[in-house]
Amino acid sequence: MKKHFLFVALVLILGACRTAKVSTSKDEVAITFLHLNDVYEISPLDNGKIGGMARVATVRQNLLHENPNTITVLSGDFLSPSVTGTLRYEGKGIKGRQMVDVMNAVGVDWVCFGNHEFDLDEKDLQERINESKFNWLNSNALEKINGKLEPFGKVVNGTKMPFPKTQIYTFKNAKGEEVKMGMFGIVLPSNPKDYVWYDDFFEVARKTYNELKPQCDFVVALTHINRVDDIALAGMVPELKLIMGGHDHDNMIEKIGDVIMAKADANAKTAYIHRVVYNKATGKASVKSELKKINDQIPDNPEAAMVVKKWEDIADASFKAIGINKNEVITDLKEPLDGHESTVRNQQALMGSMIAKAMTAATPDATDCTFFNGGSIRIDDVVSGKMTQLDVLRVLPFGGKVIEVKMRGRLLEQILETGLKNKGSGGYLQWDRITYEAAKNEWYINGKLLDVNQEYKVVTSDFLLTGKERNLDFFTKTNPDIISVTDTFPEGDVRNDIRKAVIAYLKKN
């Protein structure tokens, strides 16, 4: 108990009794948030033009100089997925270790869970948590341990310290009056794992806010939920001042009543800077939000850059060890392939079409059509000109098998209709040999009108057949409209790894 008390006390001391430089009156306290979300890349993208965590570290240092009451937050999704995370180092998988190391160097203060943190198994997730120097805020996810539900936590000196459900910061204005700010963090239950139990995030958010409200002057939230749910949350808890969101990968800001909800672009291409000013005399808080581009106009922070370089060198060595020549050019693209999530999750894209065609080409038997989830494309960038093996790995860091499923037409129609409804999310489908006529709401498979009573040979990804994609929980091996599944292949068959199928296709075309 003493160790637990000391840990909690240390966390509170770190956030307590700060006096701001930036203030317009003696009654006011200014707090600045540097807000990131969904960061999988430690290095700049687009030939070094955008992103880069060493640049984020510079922005943070500048904000701290402007206002010592600066808090850097990352609203979920950073441990997975990434190419580096799939590699091995010191005899075991990296699995987000590079991200934690770089985030420690940047000086991140708080994170909440994202759904992709639970891509890791329980042991690896615990190791990443233990390596982190930042704090974790978690209000609605619990760990299943020996049949019991317990808070996730960090092991410190052999003792597991549970993550707080809430955090209260104490600041002082120029008069010496205390201003208390409460925070909580929630995550959506989109990644079911045996070791995780999710409480209803709406109910938890409302309950947690009601607990914080009597203790605090105002409350902010870190969330990793869908945009529509953030908007609903703002309506449910209209006195929240600021929702710093994640999960969506494109920058956005909305005002719902008096609540500001914002999300930055994924992979630190942008960050939000929220400047909050609370007036003790009036009891009101104002929020001014600035979308900051993280680009090559911002110099690297030297200390963070050293850590980034260390992991870039480790990744290079790991590629060589597994026989991957990351710099090998496999094709010279005639036109750019847009892999932005705003594209592949909303419309049929050239990159999605290319991958689907590669999946079709990898299957020797006659195939009626191919589809896969656009969310498996994770590069969130444009690939143009000379395309390398590394580009393919960045596009599809999850890998996975290319499988064959024989199914009835009524199931195929249901899947395709669901894919359309998933527009805007990772469950939107990219395809080959499929045409949709929206005016007639008709599907054509390999040039012929889809027949719900016909049997079709379909190529897809092994992930989709788990039923874990959004709204596609019915697509599993036990579905009565599935006739057969072929998902075991000889060693060396490119169907064992979709990335190898794409590389082989691009080398031939």
Side-chain angles (χ1 to χ4, degrees), residues 72-345:
T72 301
V73 302
L74 201 163
S75 297
D77 272 12
F78 49 92
L79 295 181
S80 173
S82 70
V83 177
T84 301
T86 66
L87 302 173
R88 295 182 67 79
Y89 176 59
E90 295 181 333
K92 55 185 178 180
I94 292 174
K95 297 183 179 180
R97 184 176 165 188
Q98 85 287 1
M99 285 301 309
V100 172
D101 201 10
V102 171
M103 288 166 64
N104 287 341
V106 169
V108 172
D109 295 300
W110 287 93
V111 302
C112 68
F113 278 121
N115 54 295
H116 281 301
E117 269 60 79
F118 301 119
D119 290 343
L120 276 61
D121 62 31
E122 192 171 11
K123 178 177 178 292
D124 289 321
L125 176 58
Q126 189 63 59
E127 288 181 359
R128 297 297 86 79
I129 289 170
N130 295 345
E131 291 160 2
S132 65
K133 295 179 182 178
F134 42 85
N135 301 296
W136 300 65
L137 194 59
N138 172 39
S139 303
N140 77 304
L142 292 173
E143 187 174 10
K144 297 179 185 177
I145 302 177
N146 299 323
K148 297 181 179 180
L149 297 178
E150 299 181 12
F152 284 91
K154 184 185 298 185
V155 178
V156 180
N157 296 324
T159 301
K160 192 170 185 178
M161 305 300 180
F163 294 156
K165 288 187 175 181
T166 62
Q167 169 66 11
I168 297 176
Y169 271 89
T170 301
F171 305 95
K172 287 186 177 180
N173 64 16
K175 291 182 177 180
E177 298 170 326
E178 289 188 345
V179 172
K180 293 183 181 293
M181 178 191 74
M183 293 197 307
F184 65 87
I186 55 174
V187 58
L188 78 171
S190 70
N191 197 349
K193 286 295 180 73
D194 291 339
Y195 67 90
V196 186
W197 180 85
Y198 300 93
D199 203 349
D200 182 278
F201 59 79
F202 282 134
E203 290 303 315
V204 167
R206 183 158 45 191
K207 180 180 178 181
T208 303
Y209 176 81
N210 288 335
E211 291 172 356
L212 284 169
K213 184 179 177 181
Q215 307 175 64
C216 301
D217 294 289
F218 66 98
V219 179
V220 301
L222 303 183
T223 69
H224 194 89
I225 58 181
N226 292 298
R227 169 184 171 273
V228 292
D229 293 326
D230 276 307
I231 293 171
L233 175 62
M236 292 171 60
V237 191
E239 292 181 320
L240 263 178
K241 294 314 300 180
L242 176 63
I243 296 174
M244 292 174 280
H247 194 58
D248 296 287
H249 286 204
D250 300 308
N251 77 77
M252 62 185 73
I253 188 164
E254 298 190 39
K255 188 172 184 181
I256 307 99
D258 292 328
V259 184
I260 299 295
M261 187 279 288
K263 309 190 188 201
D265 292 288
N267 286 323
K269 291 185 289 187
T270 62
Y272 257 108
I273 299 169
H274 307 289
R275 293 179 172 89
V276 183
V277 176
Y278 182 81
N279 189 303
K280 189 71 175 179
T282 64
K284 294 184 178 180
S286 64
V287 181
K288 292 184 178 180
S289 299
E290 171 195 352
L291 185 66
K292 177 72 173 179
K293 292 182 179 180
I294 308 299
N295 56 30
D296 53 9
Q297 301 301 304
I298 301 170
D300 285 345
N301 171 272
E303 291 78 14
M306 286 178 62
V307 181
V308 171
K309 179 63 164 57
K310 178 185 80 172
W311 285 103
E312 288 174 340
D313 291 343
I314 289 169
D316 287 348
S318 298
F319 285 133
K320 291 178 183 177
I322 60 177
I324 291 177
N325 180 3
K326 71 170 191 175
N327 296 318
E328 180 190 355
V329 176
I330 53 178
T331 190
D332 194 348
L333 295 170
K334 296 177 181 178
E335 53 186 324
L337 298 178
D338 186 354
H340 283 111
E341 298 204 352
S342 57
T343 301
V344 299
R345 296 182 179 212

Side-chain angles (χ1 to χ4, degrees), residues 262 285 444 461:
Y444 290 82
S461 64

